[in-house]
């Protein structure tokens, strides 16, 4: 059987802490996040950063896999257009992102749950403000709760 | 080139035995993250055989701890939870190497910059750390043994910008026997420093110390000097850059011109008519000119905008006549493009001064006797437009002079930064003006910033000389007189914050101590060289403290004020440092590159060609006889874009394989 | 040992007890003091407000007279000590001052060649006599009498030569040698307001109040002073300065305490001249003095 | 003579095409019949469920189940066959990935039933009665299969050993799979019994694909006159070939139609839709967001297009519904 | 000076407002020169305006201009502001400022200098006792060579604050009874020497224009 991790505890809106997976480009947003650290800026602890060399490495599968495994939001940070360390990787990210967003809309996943931002190495404050903003928006949306799918559904439905 | 992936990769690998090392970083991490709890948690994760915490993991004993576990506990995968991998990944990779296991069997977890320094809630920070550590433990188990790539270094160096920083870097490298290309866009090297008369705090004559260096550049056997030239294209990678240089036509054959300047004398223009850029428009020059007497190279330039021959084609060409047999003048010259190959690049493109007219309330451009500090540098310069006389526009000497600091600095309306050099050069100008004119000199300052060897002492000296110091940012310069003593003067209005009242001080001359700004074309330049800028527009160094002349692009270094406001000693020091970095690379003869390249599994590839147009480096090609795509690992820079786009999952990126990233994603999200 | 003694005007007026006790101490230690012949007012601080040059000339006359004795001069009054020292120094540093003063002295047939050392009794007692000798001569130990040592400004500032500017301890050590217990007193060199009580009384009282209340807070039973003006300020305005809560704190010259320990009788050292008597404290401590 | 291996066939939520595919083996079916003993095949032979229930556990060598799991009865049968079979094989796209019926995961049961039984213009249902799990008639209560909220691939309900891809699997795929299963050496559990590279590899138009392809518009087959030789992607048609497992010999492309992805992704891909999306979008021209959007808007239904056969097996599995859809609404 | 310059006015709402713009004409460069040439003022131009003098002064909290501000106003030549400041009268010459000054400026001595200058130029509160005291002091010294505190106090108070003397009479009496108030005037033998001394100082001062 295709494995699904179903150990996620029940989420209630009251105690809900959004879990956001972030993919940061090694050359800009990851550095900006480092700078936010060295600048001792404070932001919500709800984001888990995964480093990639370029936002162009972010396979849409990564975004979906994160959602499928319990992420309430996904945040991709790349270099500003024209600033890509690899010349044009971020444009590819942008194009994929636009198409992916349409699929996500069709799949009922709210817009605010998936975000692409251009944040240069110097823009530590944008890391802070974007994360805080995104956490608040996702918090307002509530848990994504894609996980309790087939097994749970089947079990209950079979019991009817 | 050795293989990136070790032979036997993937086959019969031993089961992972993970060691987890959680760093306290003193209290930097331990103050916010419950390090013990994380360590205990990690110990229970599948595959983990050792889990330890330590005060400073990067210290020698910390490193020894890991090394020992590798040999004693057969740890074969290492997770270090400490600071940013950009800081210490190389350190810990070396530990693994020393201990005899592949250095890429390491995964770092950034729990300082990304956790302890940015969160306040200890519990949340600890939970986040556990998530990150769990993900790393899962990920590292999938790591493959990798080898760094070695590429040879071309020993030639390109230095961009011929100010004091560029000059110093070029000479340092050339003296070490390296071939240097020094490219400067103006017709002469020398930069801002060539415009100064004296330098603080020692009051050395700028020309006396700069000119010999300029001459050395001009005559150095290892320096190819291209002035009036610009870089238009940069390709390649560390050690192997291909650069295209555009050489603008100066309508003079540089190799034929001997700098006798007879053409200038002979020009049909008897007097100069064009504002002289070098003197900031304070004097006029002819269409054929030498920027300044000590210019290097000593080659004249013809300005086609004003030369009659270019405008009407009907000039008597007395200049050509004067040049005679040398025949150095060539009106048909066109721009040329040169291709050079270099291994390293030093950017020393300098700064520009703040445009004082952006502060309209200081009257620059409105009142003739409001000058910028750079203009006054030229006035004071003995080789300047007034022969060193500090005089007003009408030729008279000022009896009183107000020097306004921080024009275009420390101001959220213009530039927020401190320009660092203005306090000192204002003191210098105050001294020189007082010395030359005997005028009453007033300095209007916000704070007096004189950190530097001999700088505070210089300030002391100026205080003693009886220069007035009014602490307060000037609100206005106007010619509105409300007191008889103010008639015909420029009145400076400022609060004397030390006296705690507003003062109106009438002066004859106002000097605006303009701040330093990034060059106007900094965005184009940084894109050209693939480096970053701070939000302000200064070139971004790799690390503000530990790598201040390196950039995030290997082999590209920055020196001087293009990195941030800097005075001459700092610029020279940084230029020396940049030259040393380049030399270190050249002497190593090769550079090791991260093995993060992409590779295509030949048997899996369907030859759909989707990846080919995506590579900006043309590293992917279609192999016709196999009908499959292939990646040239030398050209691949490891962005991973093709990996993400391969529709059949047949391309992978070393160290960033799909499985590794999926494991990390699922690792951070899995519930404990 | 023999010294020239320069009493200064205050020791003949409000500070009479200082002179009486000082002489008693030196007597007990077998040190001879010879009063400077026909000494005049030192010039003092107030004088400087009007005419500094004259003040230096006045001080210099005393220095010139002392020079003839070839002995160090003891100046117990803090103001005199400072002015005499300062005059020497300024004559050295400023040729103009030296010229004026030399001429003035010449007019009365004197010369001043910077030969004498102007010294404070604390300096003599500590460095010439020594703690050991003093301790040996103590007859009535002060039995842990809690003393706040108050130095004031002028003997340590600006020309402290024999003690630390910021934390002088000479008096502390001398009184300890006499059996007293020195209490922590962070204000030991803080200004008492000087003549401020006379000119701007509100401010003077403020300053006095700080000094008194801090001594009280730290458990002092008596404040020891080295300056007639300090003593006067701290003792005479206690009622006015210490209203909340009222303060009753004996303020003695350090020489009075030393003289007591060395066995001098109360009468001979001017204890009766105090406005706040120390008798109850001594009784409580069972210090039976002569 | 040793006993012939027992084989079963079952049909869940599917169109029946897979059954046809078995029959499409043509004369080779005889070889099959000769080689195996078909013990259960409701569509062709008269077996009852109780016959299967009577069989000992694991007595069937291979059960081929086609169709997705849409109802409780299908789930029950999947469990039953699982327990009786040594090997359970998902046959065809619906069983493998959820298939066309899986697109129902863009909706929930309620809206599907409403659309079919209440809202469709041709329906006459004045009482508004809807399918129910229990029906009383004439004193008898009949229990009927329950219609699930979510369509699932077979492996989301029971453990599956092998997959035979395709909608339907071509006779060649099926034949090869059968040979493999009856052969001496079984492949690793979970293997999809088809080549593990993308379709382009065996596409007759492979050579006509340009090396530098980019898209300024996606065209639908009915909009253009399709060249019969040239790569369909090069003609701007959305062909899923690059992201789809080979094995079908590009039948659709040979029929001048773009691949729609029925064989699912290669083993290296978790989510076929995301992959083709990534690949195609990367090749879109334009750097301005508006231009990018304009080009992408020529794909009217990306989810339906990219997940035509694989929505239940995709990472997201189904559309997120408002509120907690785990509750049985 | 028209509508500008230091100027006090009453508004309609009864608020006292002061215009305090300072013109360069308000400055007295001569005063600035004088202060930097007076004894102790040699380094006043080096003043960094760090404020340590004000911080260490036990009386700065009562001052209108802190010592730091006085130093700045003095070296800039704002004579009127400086000489009319209350601060110069509050200084008790405790030398706390001077010993700590990072530029070794003799602030205490400058305070003396400013006091003197203020007295010379008549800048002080009419009944302010310090100039009176100094005057009485010098007179007494000239006459007797020494000071008799009791008499000095009486004279000072007679000329400044007669009412306060009455308030102090009780203390005076107590001191008298304790033998701390001299009735007899202290005087030296060779009083003519003092006169000659003082006259010589005055003469030299005049001669050298000090």
């Amino acid at each position: 059987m295709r494995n699904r991790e179903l150990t996620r505890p029940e989420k209630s809106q009251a105690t809900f802490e959004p879990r956001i997976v972030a993919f940061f480009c090694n050359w800009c947003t990851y550095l900006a996040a480092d700078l936010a650290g060295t600048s001792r800026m404070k932001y919500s602890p709800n984001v888990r950063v995964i480093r990639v060399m370029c936002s162009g490495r972010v396979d849409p599968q990564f975004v979906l896999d994160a959602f499928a495994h319990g992420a309430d939001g996904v945040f991709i940070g790349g270099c500003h257009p024209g600033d890509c360390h690899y010349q044009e990787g971020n444009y590819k990210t942008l194009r994929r992102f636009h198409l992916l967003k349409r699929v996500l809309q069709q799949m009922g996943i709210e817009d605010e749950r998936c975000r692409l931002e251009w944040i240069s190495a110097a823009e530590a404050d944008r890391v802070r403000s974007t994360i805080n903003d995104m956490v608040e928006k996702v918090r307002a949306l509530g848990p994504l709760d894609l996980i309790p799918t087939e097994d749970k559904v089947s079990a209950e439905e079979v019991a009817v | 080139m050795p293989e990136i992936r070790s032979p036997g990769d993937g086959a019969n690998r031993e089961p992972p035995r993970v060691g987890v090392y959680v760093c306290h970083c003193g209290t930097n991490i331990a103050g916010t993250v419950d390090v013990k709890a994380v360590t205990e948690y990690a110990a229970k994760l599948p595959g983990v055989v050792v889990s330890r915490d330590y005060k400073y993991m990067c210290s020698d004993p910390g490193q020894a701890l890991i090394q020992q576990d590798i040999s004693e506990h057969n740890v074969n995968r290492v997770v270090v939870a400490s600071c940013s991998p950009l800081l210490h990944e190389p350190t810990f990779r070396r530990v693994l190497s020393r201990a005899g296991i592949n250095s890429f069997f390491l995964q770092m977890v950034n729990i300082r910059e990304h956790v302890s320094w940015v969160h306040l809630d200890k519990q949340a920070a600890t939970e986040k750390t556990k998530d990150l550590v769990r993900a790393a433990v899962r990920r590292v188990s999938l790591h493959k043994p990798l080898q760094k790539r070695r590429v040879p270094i071309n020993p030639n160096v390109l230095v961009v910008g011929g100010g004091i920083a560029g000059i110093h870097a070029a000479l340092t490298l050339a003296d070490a026997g390296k071939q240097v290309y020094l490219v400067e866009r103006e017709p002469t090297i020398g930069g801002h420093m060539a415009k100064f008369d004296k330098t603080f705090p020692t009051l050395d004559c700028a020309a006396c110390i700069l000119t010999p260096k300029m001459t050395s550049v001009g005559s150095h056997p290892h320096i190819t000097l291209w002035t009036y030239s610009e870089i238009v294209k940069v390709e390649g990678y560390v050690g192997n850059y291909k650069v295209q240089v555009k050489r603008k036509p100066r309508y003079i054959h540089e190799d034929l011109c001997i700098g006798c300047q007879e053409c200038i004398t002979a020009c049909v223009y008897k007097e100069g008519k064009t504002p002289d850029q070098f003197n900031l428009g304070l004097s006029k020059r002819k269409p054929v000119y030498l920027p300044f007497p000590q210019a290097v190279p000593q080659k004249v330039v013809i300005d086609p905008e004003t030369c009659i021959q270019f405008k009407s084609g009907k000039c008597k060409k007395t200049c050509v006549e004067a040049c005679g047999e040398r025949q150095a003048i060539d009106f048909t010259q066109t721009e040329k493009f040169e291709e050079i190959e270099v291994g390293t690049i030093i950017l020393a493109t300098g700064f520009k001064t703040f445009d004082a007219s952006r502060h309209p309330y200081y009257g620059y451009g409105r009142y003739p006797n409001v000058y910028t500090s750079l203009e006054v540098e030229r006035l004071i310069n003995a080789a300047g437009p007034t022969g060193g006389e500090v005089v007003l526009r009408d030729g008279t000497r000022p009896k009183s002079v107000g020097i306004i600091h921080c024009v275009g600095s420390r101001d959220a309306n213009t530039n927020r930064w401190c320009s660092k050099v203005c306090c000192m050069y204002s003191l210098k100008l105050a001294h020189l003006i007082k010395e030359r004119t005997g005028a009453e000199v007033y300095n209007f300052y916000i704070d007096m910033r004189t950190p530097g060897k001999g700088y505070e002492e210089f300030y002391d000296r100026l205080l003693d000389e009886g220069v007035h110091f009014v602490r307060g940012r000037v609100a206005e310069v106007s010619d509105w007189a409300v007191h008889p003593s103010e008639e015909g003067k420029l009145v400076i209005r400022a609060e004397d914050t030390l006296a705690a009242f507003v003062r109106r001080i009438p002066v004859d001359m106002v000097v605006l101590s303009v701040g330093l700004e990034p060059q106007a074309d900094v965005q184009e330049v940084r894109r050209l060289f693939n480096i970053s800028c701070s939000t302000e527009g200064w070139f971004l160094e790799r690390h503000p403290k530990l790598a201040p002349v390196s950039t995030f692009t290997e082999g590209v270094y920055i020196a001087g004020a293009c990195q941030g406001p800097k005075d001459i000693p700092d610029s020279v020091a940084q230029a020396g440092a940049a030259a040393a970095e380049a030399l270190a690379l050249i002497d190593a003869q090769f550079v090791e590159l991260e093995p993060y390249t992409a590779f295509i599994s030949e048997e899996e590839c369907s030859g759909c060609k989707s990846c080919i147009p995506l590579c900006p480096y043309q590293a992917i090609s279609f192999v016709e006889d196999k009908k499959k795509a292939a990646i040239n690992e030398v050209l691949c820079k490891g962005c991973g874009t093709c990996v993400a786009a391969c529709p059949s999952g047949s391309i992978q990126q070393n160290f960033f394989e799909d499985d590794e990233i999926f494991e990390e994603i699922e690792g951070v999200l899995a519930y404990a | 040992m023999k010294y020239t003694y320069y009493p200064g005007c205050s020791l003949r007026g409000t500070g009479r007890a200082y002179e009486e006790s000082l002489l008693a101490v030196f007597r007990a230690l077998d040190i001879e003091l010879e009063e400077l012949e026909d000494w005049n007012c030192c010039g003092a601080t107030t004088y400087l407000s009007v005419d500094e040059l004259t003040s230096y000339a006045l001080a210099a006359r005393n220095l010139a007279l002392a020079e003839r004795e070839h002995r160090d001069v003891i100046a117990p009054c803090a103001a005199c000590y400072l002015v005499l020292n300062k005059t020497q120094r300024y004559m050295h540093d400023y040729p103009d001052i030296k010229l004026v003063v030399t001429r003035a002295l010449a007019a009365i047939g004197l010369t001043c060649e910077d030969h004498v050392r102007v010294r404070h009794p604390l300096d003599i007692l500590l460095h010439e006599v020594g703690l050991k000798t003093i301790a040996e001569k103590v007859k009535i130990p002060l039995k842990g009498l809690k003393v706040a040592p108050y130095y004031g400004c002028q003997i340590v500032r600006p020309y402290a030569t024999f003690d630390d500017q910021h934390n002088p301890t000479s008096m502390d050590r001398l009184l300890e040698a006499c059996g007293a217990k020195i209490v922590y007193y962070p204000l030991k060199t803080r200004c008492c307001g000087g003549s401020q009580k006379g000119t701007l009384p509100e401010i003077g009282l403020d300053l006095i109040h700080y000094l008194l209340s801090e001594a009280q807070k730290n458990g002092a039973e008596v404040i020891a002073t080295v300056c007639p003006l300090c003593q006067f300020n701290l003792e005479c305005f206690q009622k006015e300065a210490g209203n909340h809560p009222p303060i009753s704190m004996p303020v003695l010259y350090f020489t009075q305490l030393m003289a007591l320990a060395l066995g001098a009788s109360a009468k001979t050292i001017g204890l009766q001249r105090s406005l706040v008597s120390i008798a109850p404290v001594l009784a409580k401590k069972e210090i039976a003095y002569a | 003579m040793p006993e012939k291996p027992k084989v079963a066939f079952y049909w869940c939520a599917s169109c029946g095409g897979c059954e046809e595919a078995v029959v499409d083996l043509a004369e080779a079916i005889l070889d099959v019949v000769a080689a195996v003993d078909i013990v259960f095949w409701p569509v062709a032979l008269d077996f009852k469920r109780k016959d299967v229930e009577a069989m000992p556990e694991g007595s069937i060598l291979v059960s081929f189940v086609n169709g997705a799991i849409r109802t409780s009865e299908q789930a029950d049968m999947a469990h039953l066959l699982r327990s009786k079979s040594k090997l359970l094989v998902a046959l065809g796209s619906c069983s493998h990935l959820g298939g066309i019926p899986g697109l129902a995961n863009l909706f929930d049961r309620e809206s599907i039933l409403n659309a079919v039984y209440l809202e469709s213009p041709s329906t006459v249902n004045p009482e508004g009665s809807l399918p129910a799990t229990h029906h009383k008639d004439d004193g008898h209560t009949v229990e009927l299969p329950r219609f699930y909220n979510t369509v699932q691939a077979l492996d989301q309900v029971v453990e599956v050993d092998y997959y035979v891809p395709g909608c339907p699997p071509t006779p060649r795929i099926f034949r090869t799979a059968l040979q493999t299963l009856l052969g001496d050496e079984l492949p690793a559990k979970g293997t999809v019994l088809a080549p593990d590279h993308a379709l382009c590899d065996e596409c007759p138009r492979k050579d006509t694909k340009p090396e530098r392809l980019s898209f300024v518009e996606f065209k639908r087959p009915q909009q253009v006159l399709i060249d019969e030789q040239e790569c369909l992607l090069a003609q701007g048609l959305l062909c899923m070939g690059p992201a789809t497992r080979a094995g079908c010999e590009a039948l659709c492309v040979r029929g001048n139609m773009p691949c729609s992805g029925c064989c699912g992704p290669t083993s290296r891909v978790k989510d076929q839709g995301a992959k083709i999306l990534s690949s195609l979008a990367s090749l879109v021209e334009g750097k301005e967001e508006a231009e990018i959007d304009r080009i992408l808007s020529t794909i009217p239904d990306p989810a339906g297009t990219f997940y035509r056969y694989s929505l239940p097996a995709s990472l997201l599995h189904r559309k997120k519904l408002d509120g907690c859809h785990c509750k049985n609404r | 000076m028209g509508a500008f310059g230091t100027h006090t006015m009453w508004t309609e709402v009864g608020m006292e407002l002061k215009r305090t713009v300072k013109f360069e004409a308000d400055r007295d460069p001569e005063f600035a020169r004088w202060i930097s040439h007076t004894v102790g003022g040699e380094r006043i131009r080096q003043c960094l305006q760090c404020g340590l003098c004000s911080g260490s002064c036990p009386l700065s909290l009562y001052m209108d201009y802190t010592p730091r501000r006085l130093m700045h106003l003095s070296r800039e030549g704002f004579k009127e502001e400086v000489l009319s400041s209350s601060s110069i009268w509050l200084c008790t010459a405790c030398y706390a400022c001077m010993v700590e000054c990072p530029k070794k400026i003799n602030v205490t001595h400058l305070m003396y200098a400013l006091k003197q200058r203020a007295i010379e130029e008549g800048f002080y509160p009419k009944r302010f006792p310090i100039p009176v005291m100094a005057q009485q002091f010098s007179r007494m010294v000239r006459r007797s060579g020494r000071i008799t505190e009791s008499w000095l106090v009486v004279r000072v108070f007679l000329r400044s604050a007669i009412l306060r003397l009455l308030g102090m009479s009780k203390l005076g009496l107590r001191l008298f009874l304790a033998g701390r108030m001299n009735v007899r005037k202290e005087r030296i033998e060779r009083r003519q020497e003092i006169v000659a001394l003082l006259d010589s100082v005055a003469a030299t001062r005049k001669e050298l224009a000090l």
Side-chain angles (χ1 to χ4, degrees), chain B residues 25 45-46 104 119 132 167 182-183 209 231 240 245 292 328 332-333 347 426 468 554 560 576 588 611:
Chain B
C25 194
L45 289 171
F104 290 85
H119 303 319
L132 295 172
I167 289 173
L182 178 58
V183 177
I209 54 179
I231 312 292
N240 303 275
V245 185
F292 69 107
T332 66
Q333 213 174 46
L347 294 179
S426 297
H468 296 273
E554 292 267 3
C611 51

Side-chain angles (χ1 to χ4, degrees), chain B residues 343-414:
Chain B
T344 46
I345 297 172
I346 294 174
L347 294 179
T349 52
F351 65 94
K352 72 176 169 68
T353 52
F354 175 77
D355 173 8
S357 58
R358 285 173 66 194
H359 270 321
Y361 45 94
Y362 288 163
Y364 181 73
R366 188 149 42 101
Y367 303 121
N369 291 321
V370 176
Y371 292 83
T372 66
S373 43
L374 203 54
E375 289 167 345
V376 175
E377 294 278 2
R378 293 309 297 152
L379 288 183
I380 289 174
N381 196 302
T386 57
E389 284 282 319
V390 179
V391 287
L392 300 172
R393 301 270 179 192
D394 64 4
T396 60
R397 273 190 182 178
K399 292 190 184 63
S400 49
V401 178
I403 301 177
I404 302 177
H405 293 218
C406 298
V407 178
S409 302
R410 302 183 72 190
D411 178 358
N413 298 306
T414 55

Side-chain angles (χ1 to χ4, degrees), chain A residues 31-85:
Chain A
L31 288 175
D34 275 4
L35 181 60
T38 45
S39 312
R40 310 295 199 276
M41 291 175 177
K42 301 294 178 229
Y43 56 80
S44 302
N46 305 54
V47 171
R48 311 285 181 263
V49 176
I50 292 171
R51 182 168 70 115
V52 287
M53 295 308 284
C54 176
S55 60
R57 175 68 185 92
V58 180
D59 187 327
Q61 290 190 102
F62 297 168
V63 177
L64 301 180
D65 194 55
F67 282 132
H69 284 82
D72 301 297
V74 174
F75 171 19
I76 304 166
C79 305
H80 287 268
D83 287 4
C84 178
H85 190 80

Side-chain angles (χ1 to χ4, degrees), chain A residues 1-2 4 10 58-65 67-69 88 91-92 94-100 102-110 113 118 141 143-154 156-158 160, chain D residues 96 106 133 146-149 152 155-159 163 269-271 274-275 277-278 281-282 284-287 289 292-293 296-297 299-304 306-307 311 313-320 325-328:
Chain A
M1 261 166 41
R2 233 163 278 222
R4 302 275 173 167
E10 275 299 319
V58 180
D59 187 327
Q61 290 190 102
F62 297 168
V63 177
L64 301 180
D65 194 55
F67 282 132
H69 284 82
E88 296 204 331
Y91 286 115
K92 282 135 201 168
L94 179 67
R95 295 168 191 152
R96 291 174 199 149
F97 183 73
H98 274 246
L99 193 49
L100 178 64
R102 287 182 54 206
V103 170
L104 292 177
Q105 279 159 14
Q106 286 185 286
M107 300 300 288
I109 292 175
E110 298 87 341
R113 293 196 191 268
W118 308 134
L141 287 176
L144 178 57
D145 241 359
L146 279 176
I147 285 184
T149 50
E150 49 289 282
D151 291 56
K152 212 162 178 184
V153 175
S154 315
E156 282 175 13
E157 294 196 353
V158 171
V160 169
Chain D
H96 174 200
L106 289 168
T133 49
R146 177 172 164 76
F147 185 82
Y148 282 173
N149 199 25
Q152 291 167 97
D155 64 5
Q156 289 167 337
V157 179
V158 291
E159 246 179 67
Y163 303 85
V269 171
K270 281 195 178 201
D271 190 294
K275 263 304 185 187
L277 177 161
S278 181
S282 300
V284 158
E285 290 230 344
K287 292 181 175 175
E289 303 204 19
I292 293 169
D293 279 343
L296 294 175
S297 72
I299 304 174
D301 173 18
F306 301 146
Y307 294 102
L311 191 57
S314 74
L315 284 164
L316 293 183
H317 184 53
R318 62 137 41 261
K319 181 177 178 169
K320 181 200 171 221
H325 64 263
C326 58
K327 293 276 149 50
N328 184 21

Side-chain angles (χ1 to χ4, degrees), chain B residues 485-503:
Chain B
S485 64
E486 296 173 354
E487 293 294 344
K489 302 263 187 179
L490 291 167
V491 178
I492 296 174
R493 202 177 67 205
E495 180 180 356
D496 184 335
T497 58
L498 297 172
F501 47 63
V502 175
R503 290 173 69 175

Side-chain angles (χ1 to χ4, degrees), chain B residues 198-220:
Chain B
K198 296 279 196 302
T199 56
F200 60 76
T202 47
L203 299 178
D204 300 281
C205 150
C208 311
I209 54 179
L210 180 63
T211 316
K213 293 193 82 135
M214 287 170 62
T215 318
S216 304
V217 167
S219 60
H220 205 293

Side-chain angles (χ1 to χ4, degrees), chain B residues 442 460 468 496 502-503, chain E residues 22 24 69 72 76 103:
Chain B
Y442 299 85
D460 238 17
H468 296 273
D496 184 335
V502 175
R503 290 173 69 175
Chain E
K22 300 288 180 196
E24 275 303 271
R69 231 169 123 191
H72 180 66
E76 281 293 289
K103 288 288 179 185

Side-chain angles (χ1 to χ4, degrees), chain B residues 276-288:
Chain B
D276 183 348
Q277 207 191 338
F278 190 80
N279 280 332
L280 301 134
L282 293 168
S283 66
K284 301 263 191 341
R285 63 155 171 82
K286 296 181 182 179
V288 54

